[in-house]
Amino acid sequence: MRKFFVIAGFFLVIICQVLGQENRFESKKSFDDLINQADRLKAESKYDSALVIFNFLKNKAELENDTLNLIKSNLGIGAVFFLLKETDVARDYYRKLISMAKLINDSSYINKGFYGIGGTYQVDGNLDSAFYYYENTLPYFIGKNQYKDAALILANMASIYYLRGELDLSIETSLKSTEFAKTSDSPQLEGSNLRMLGMIHRVKKEYEESQEYYFGAYRIADANNFLKDKGEALYGLIRLSRDQEDYDKVIRYYENYISVLEDIYLKGENDQILDLKEKYKTASLELENEKQKRSTTIVLLTSMALVLTAFVIINVIDQRRKNIKTLAAKNDELNKQQIDELLQKQEIASLQGVLEGQETERKRVAIDLHDRLGGILSMVKLHFSVVTESLSKDDQTHAKFMKASDLLDQATGEVRSISHNLMSGVLTKFGLVPALEDLKDKISQTGKLKVSLYSNELNNVLTAEQELQLYRIVQELMSNILKHSKAKEANIQLTKGEDSVNLIVEDDGVGFDLKEVNKKAGIGLTNLKARVGKLDGNFHIDSGRGAGTTISIDIPITND
């Protein structure tokens, strides 16, 4: 399909050249005017038409060696493929524009590219990576008063909060996004936020608020001819009425919904056919006026170009008819994804309970070993000492008792060591950093992995429970590195920020494919998510085959 649109754009360039003026494609419109026109077509779900214009502009910018406009056209193409769920293709275009933006040191488009990549990860279901990109780009756009981009990022973050089941945070973030959308005069984004708020309140069974937001979204879409958005607002009202068992409204909204779909896939095509007729009429008049000036070859080329234009639009119409067949399937797929996310959250919550039970059992066993078994061994040692003192050193029995006494010392030491490991003894006595130093030394002494540790002063900002959970997280990560990574070196960094503590664990091992890991979701990764979730933190994994692994975890500081 991409090749088809590139070819279509190429033939449009031919038309411009044949008709005699460089900007004949859209009369006297500037590059930015055409970008805005393509953006409007994209907003109206006319993705194929938008791609034709974006590709034309991309080819034009390449011919003129215009880096800034090449960046703009790549951003537009990436956005269209993102909306078509072609995430791999979209990421390619975003990475290209980032590389070009770095050449001209344009921070705005660099951050727009990173934001776009975050969006593709969100569509792929990699929510942690998506959130990582959003959090890192949001401050830039707010600081530069680029409120439309800030509103887009906040809208996507609200969607992630919703999928995680954090509904109040999702509402708060959607409202912030709506404020920025109004400030930047972005009605489509404002309507999208209102639909999100309608969905959240419907899930919370706050039906009056839900209906108010859906109606607001419908009014914006209807006033601006955003057909797809209008249909989504109606679909939200259908689901709301179904939840309220108001089936008269369900039927009425369904009739309107079907009418909108017909507008999208039928009326939109008729508009393009009328546009084609107008182009034929204009071209015929121009040919008549310049009949004496143009050669037969030019006339033939112009006619061929018009035929090719008709061919492009016919294929566009055919593609749209195919799209309508997949619309219902995509809605079902989105619903299934949301249910899976909620089930996964419930699974992690259950696992947190299991982990808490494990910690309680560790403490109980450790106390029993230290206080009860350790006490018994100490009493046995005391009795042995009394017997040993009563025997002559030359007596063979004395030597046997001394040997037995040494074995008792070893047993007492082992019991103490096991007890401390279960209770994280160094952690209990001296705190998290000394405990990590002790863990680092023990692993390095095995000769299998060289471990280094860097930390700044934490100033007791973490609770005992937070320190214990962080220690268990590092233990889990070190265990995974030893088992799977084939690494030679590992690095642990623990640093305190203004309102959070950051833990980074990295290795130089073989790495892994993030997509495969996210699909399989083994017990190790699930345990990690559960422990981080227990601390209200978030984490990001950066890895690739042969590229090592870096895991970053942020734990908020609780100010009591």
Side-chain angles (χ1 to χ4, degrees):
M1 182 56 70
R2 273 194 300 165
K3 291 182 179 178
F4 170 76
F5 286 117
V6 171
I7 293 171
F10 173 76
F11 280 117
L12 286 171
V13 174
I14 293 177
I15 294 171
C16 296
Q17 294 173 341
V18 168
L19 293 177
Q21 294 182 12
E22 183 179 354
N23 294 323
R24 188 65 66 98
F25 175 62
E26 281 290 333
S27 185
K28 297 180 180 179
K29 288 187 177 180
S30 69
F31 197 102
D32 286 338
D33 289 334
L34 290 174
I35 285 283
N36 292 333
Q37 181 183 349
D39 283 335
R40 283 195 299 273
L41 289 168
K42 181 184 68 177
E44 294 170 7
S45 304
K46 298 178 180 179
Y47 302 132
D48 33 30
S49 299
L51 274 176
V52 168
I53 296 178
F54 279 131
N55 271 300
F56 165 75
L57 295 173
K58 175 175 173 289
N59 294 333
K60 185 174 185 296
E62 286 176 344
L63 288 171
E64 297 175 359
N65 199 24
D66 186 345
T67 303
L68 181 58
N69 283 327
L70 188 57
I71 290 171
K72 291 179 182 179
S73 55
N74 272 284
L75 180 64
I77 295 170
V80 173
F81 279 112
F82 167 76
L83 291 170
L84 291 171
K85 304 294 188 295
E86 297 287 345
T87 53
D88 290 335
V89 179
R91 267 195 294 272
D92 287 341
Y93 279 99
Y94 288 136
R95 285 168 179 154
K96 287 176 185 176
L97 79 88
I98 290 170
S99 298
M100 289 183 284
K102 287 180 178 178
L103 291 175
I104 61 174
N105 198 27
D106 191 318
S107 300
S108 176
Y109 281 105
I110 291 173
N111 279 278
K112 286 181 180 180
F114 283 129
Y115 157 65
I117 290 174
T120 62
Y121 280 126
Q122 183 172 356
V123 172
D124 288 342
N126 193 340
L127 301 184
D128 294 321
S129 293
F131 206 88
Y132 174 80
Y133 279 101
Y134 295 154
E135 281 190 317
N136 281 278
T137 54
L138 179 61
Y140 172 83
F141 291 117
I142 294 177
K144 294 292 184 180
N145 296 330
Q146 296 183 18
Y147 295 122
K148 181 177 180 180
D149 293 301
L152 285 166
I153 294 172
L154 285 167
N156 287 346
M157 292 173 72
S159 177
I160 292 177
Y161 282 131
Y162 173 79
L163 292 173
R164 290 175 175 173
E166 302 174 73
L167 301 185
D168 291 335
L169 272 175
S170 185
I171 291 174
E172 179 184 343
T173 308
S174 292
L175 290 172
K176 287 182 183 178
S177 177
T178 303
E179 292 175 10
F180 284 138
K182 288 180 179 178
T183 303
S184 60
D185 191 23
S186 304
Q188 187 177 30
L189 180 55
E190 182 183 351
S192 175
N193 281 317
L194 294 179
R195 293 197 306 275
M196 184 71 182
L197 288 164
M199 179 173 63
I200 298 170
H201 284 290
R202 181 182 67 79
V203 171
K204 295 182 73 174
K205 300 187 184 304
E206 296 169 352
Y207 297 133
E208 290 186 8
E209 292 88 343
S210 176
Q211 180 173 281
E212 182 180 347
Y213 283 121
Y214 277 130
F215 278 155
Y218 179 87
R219 285 192 291 270
I220 291 173
D222 190 42
N224 291 275
N225 198 33
F226 297 152
L227 295 179
K228 181 181 177 184
D229 295 351
K230 188 175 176 181
E232 290 184 358
L234 284 169
Y235 189 71
L237 287 167
I238 291 169
R239 298 182 70 185
L240 174 63
S241 301
R242 188 184 296 150
D243 289 351
Q244 296 176 291
E245 298 183 356
D246 190 342
Y247 297 109
D248 289 337
K249 284 185 178 180
V250 170
I251 293 171
R252 185 165 71 251
Y253 290 140
Y254 250 123
E255 289 174 347
N256 291 334
Y257 179 62
I258 291 170
S259 176
V260 170
L261 289 182
E262 290 175 350
D263 285 344
I264 292 174
Y265 294 105
L266 297 177
K267 184 179 177 181
E269 294 168 5
N270 292 336
D271 289 343
Q272 287 197 349
I273 292 170
L274 291 173
D275 182 59
L276 175 60
K277 289 180 178 179
E278 187 64 29
K279 287 182 179 180
Y280 266 101
K281 182 178 179 181
T282 303
S284 298
L285 289 173
E286 288 175 349
L287 286 171
E288 188 67 24
N289 293 333
E290 297 180 9
K291 194 172 182 180
Q292 302 301 323
K293 300 178 183 179
R294 297 181 182 274
S295 67
T296 304
T297 304
I298 297 295
V299 174
L300 288 173
L301 286 174
T302 304
S303 301
M304 288 175 62
L306 290 171
V307 171
L308 286 169
T309 304
F311 177 75
V312 169
I313 293 181
I314 290 169
N315 277 276
V316 166
I317 293 170
D318 182 64
Q319 183 61 37
R320 284 195 171 181
R321 285 173 177 164
K322 292 178 181 177
N323 287 344
I324 195 172
K325 296 179 180 178
T326 61
L327 184 63
K330 287 184 179 179
N331 284 331
D332 290 341
E333 182 181 347
L334 178 60
N335 290 335
K336 182 181 178 182
Q337 181 182 353
Q338 292 173 352
I339 293 170
D340 289 344
E341 290 289 342
L342 292 174
L343 289 174
Q344 185 180 18
K345 183 176 178 63
Q346 182 60 41
E347 180 184 349
I348 290 176
S350 301
L351 186 57
Q352 286 179 354
V354 174
L355 292 174
E356 289 175 1
Q358 288 178 347
E359 290 298 338
T360 302
E361 185 65 12
R362 282 173 181 263
K363 291 178 182 178
R364 187 191 67 78
V365 174
I367 291 171
D368 285 348
L369 284 172
H370 187 274
D371 295 347
R372 297 174 61 182
L373 182 57
I376 292 171
L377 290 173
S378 297
M379 289 297 297
V380 173
K381 171 70 174 177
L382 180 62
H383 285 290
F384 264 63
S385 298
V386 172
V387 173
T388 303
E389 289 175 0
S390 66
L391 294 173
S392 170
K393 292 184 179 181
D394 296 331
D395 193 336
Q396 291 182 352
T397 306
H398 181 276
K400 292 180 180 179
F401 268 96
M402 289 300 295
K403 179 63 175 177
S405 179
D406 290 340
L407 291 173
L408 275 173
D409 288 338
Q410 292 180 25
T412 303
E414 287 295 325
V415 168
R416 186 181 297 109
S417 176
I418 294 170
S419 174
H420 284 185
N421 284 336
L422 289 170
M423 284 284 287
S424 303
V426 179
L427 175 65
T428 305
K429 288 185 178 181
F430 303 107
L432 178 59
V433 175
L436 293 177
E437 286 280 3
D438 183 59
L439 179 64
K440 175 202 75 171
D441 293 340
K442 286 180 178 177
I443 294 174
S444 296
Q445 286 170 8
T446 64
K448 295 181 179 180
L449 182 69
K450 181 182 177 182
V451 183
S452 57
L453 171 67
Y454 166 79
S455 66
N456 61 6
E457 183 57 51
L458 298 183
N459 294 323
N460 298 318
V461 297
L462 296 175
T463 65
E465 176 63 19
Q466 287 176 319
E467 289 194 345
L468 176 60
Q469 291 300 330
L470 273 177
Y471 182 77
R472 295 296 187 214
I473 287 170
V474 176
Q475 277 186 316
E476 179 79 26
L477 292 174
M478 288 294 104
S479 175
N480 288 342
I481 291 171
L482 288 167
K483 289 179 182 176
H484 308 299
S485 74
K486 299 180 182 178
K488 295 180 180 179
E489 295 185 7
N491 180 42
I492 305 170
Q493 299 180 42
L494 187 67
T495 55
K496 173 183 171 295
E498 291 184 3
D499 54 5
S500 66
V501 172
N502 176 249
L503 170 67
I504 296 177
V505 177
E506 55 187 355
D507 65 70
D508 61 353
V510 296
F512 52 84
D513 189 324
L514 279 174
K515 287 186 178 180
E516 291 182 5
V517 169
N518 285 328
K519 289 178 181 177
K520 295 178 181 177
I523 190 66
L525 183 58
T526 307
N527 276 345
L528 180 61
K529 286 184 177 180
R531 291 191 186 277
V532 175
K534 181 178 175 63
L535 299 175
D536 295 325
N538 60 76
F539 72 99
H540 174 72
I541 303 175
D542 185 9
S543 184
R545 295 207 176 275
T549 301
T550 300
I551 295 180
S552 176
I553 298 172
D554 286 299
I555 304 300
I557 297 173
T558 304
N559 296 315
D560 296 328

